[in-house]
Amino acid sequence: MPWLYFSLKPKHRAWAEPWQKCVQDRLTSLETVHIAEGCFVAPEARIFAEPGRDVVLGSGCAIAAEVFVHGPAKLGRNVSLNARVSLEGGAAGVQIGDDTRIATGVAIYAFDHGLDPERKIREQAVRSRGIVIGSDVWIGANACITDGVTIGDGAVVGAGSVVTRDVAAGTIVGGAPARYIRAR
């Protein structure tokens, strides 16, 4: 529960900040993970990056337990990924704007497999167009965002939605596939 970290009293920060520094130092020493000041990363989060597939966390990001992130991925300031979020950057990557909230169980996949009937599924070509999620966006629990999608600033994606098309700024979408519900 990363939000608890940000509300700690000074006496608890005395042990919490050095502990969090150890967690973050371990990640940044092993991978091409870049973590700005003031972030929280649960020790149970799994963040994977390698050269050319960096993971960048802006200041104030909150990464909960059981989150899976595979770069390339760039998170702006004050982005939160709640428990069991799965973010796969593919080759083209995922960009998330400032102050965006992503609820429990959301799946974000910036790649897709081909469907050539002459080839086995495991032999299909993979493509990656990338995903862009704007600032001040809320993505509800267990939603899925597919490759090539852009979600505009201030949009809301309802819980359980499957987003296969771009979402305009300031709108609310929901369903599978996600459809326009109303303006925010």
Side-chain angles (χ1 to χ4, degrees):
M1 296 184 198
W3 54 89
L4 296 176
Y5 178 78
F6 295 106
S7 63
L8 289 174
K9 295 178 180 168
K11 69 180 182 179
H12 296 121
R13 282 209 174 270
W15 67 265
E17 287 176 351
W19 164 75
Q20 189 54 207
K21 183 175 178 347
C22 288
V23 170
Q24 294 179 24
D25 285 350
R26 179 182 54 83
L27 282 169
T28 58
S29 71
L30 297 173
E31 305 284 353
T32 54
V33 176
H34 311 279
I35 303 173
E37 290 292 319
C39 292
F40 174 86
V41 179
E44 301 84 4
R46 294 175 297 279
I47 300 176
F48 301 97
E50 59 255 18
R53 296 178 66 99
D54 293 16
V55 172
V56 178
L57 305 181
S59 63
C61 282
I63 310 299
E66 300 177 18
V67 165
F68 172 87
V69 176
H70 183 222
K74 183 176 182 181
L75 283 61
R77 294 182 318 274
N78 304 312
V79 171
S80 66
L81 303 181
N82 284 295
R84 295 179 306 283
V85 166
S86 182
L87 188 157
E88 169 56 62
V94 174
Q95 294 181 34
I96 302 173
D98 298 344
D99 303 308
T100 289
R101 299 291 181 252
I102 300 178
T104 299
V106 169
I108 301 169
Y109 294 109
F111 74 96
D112 199 2
H113 293 275
L115 298 173
D116 180 352
E118 303 299 317
R119 298 175 75 181
K120 293 180 180 179
I121 293 295
R122 67 181 176 83
E123 297 170 349
Q124 296 292 324
V126 176
R127 73 169 190 213
S128 178
R129 295 177 291 169
I131 294 172
V132 176
I133 300 171
S135 296
D136 190 34
V137 171
W138 177 22
I139 300 176
N142 299 312
C144 179
I145 314 300
T146 62
D147 186 39
V149 166
T150 295
I151 299 176
D153 294 344
V156 175
V157 175
S161 297
V162 179
V163 182
T164 60
R165 289 177 270 164
D166 291 352
V167 176
T171 62
I172 300 171
V173 300
R179 293 186 182 357
Y180 175 86
I181 295 173
R182 66 179 173 88
R184 183 174 160 209

